[in-house]
Amino acid sequence: MADTLTLRLDADTLSPAVAAMARRAGDLSPAMDAIASYMLSETQQRFEDQRAPDGSAWQPSKAANEEGRKTLIESARLLQSLTG
């Protein structure tokens, strides 16, 4: 036997509550800027380390192995396209 959960939301009640939360949160730009900066530096470091977000090593590409370079860094255009 499966248990069920029914959730009913009243838009007239929910909308003011969401608006109130947004007002209390204030300007989130500084927090979002900090998050963006962190994500950019972490992604750039993953290119350097050749590692996925979970820490596992990237599989070297055939071209990178043949040319003695890092995977995904041939001209560095992809890496340089990352901006914050």
Side-chain angles (χ1 to χ4, degrees):
M1 179 168 124
D3 293 327
T4 61
L5 170 67
T6 302
L7 179 62
R8 294 175 194 225
L9 300 174
D10 180 356
D12 293 334
T13 303
L14 185 61
S15 293
V18 171
M21 285 190 305
R23 279 193 304 276
R24 284 194 298 272
D27 182 10
L28 296 177
S29 297
M32 294 300 158
D33 289 344
I35 291 168
S37 178
Y38 173 78
M39 290 177 67
L40 175 61
S41 66
E42 288 295 305
T43 301
Q44 290 168 330
Q45 189 62 51
R46 283 195 287 279
F47 269 79
E48 182 63 33
D49 297 341
Q50 301 281 282
R51 298 220 167 260
D54 68 359
S56 62
W58 288 352
Q59 180 177 349
S61 69
K62 181 179 177 183
N65 278 338
E66 289 173 356
E67 297 168 13
R69 61 176 174 80
K70 292 183 176 184
T71 297
L72 294 180
I73 303 179
E74 182 176 3
S75 67
R77 281 190 306 179
L78 178 60
L79 178 59
Q80 292 169 354
S81 74
L82 302 172
T83 60

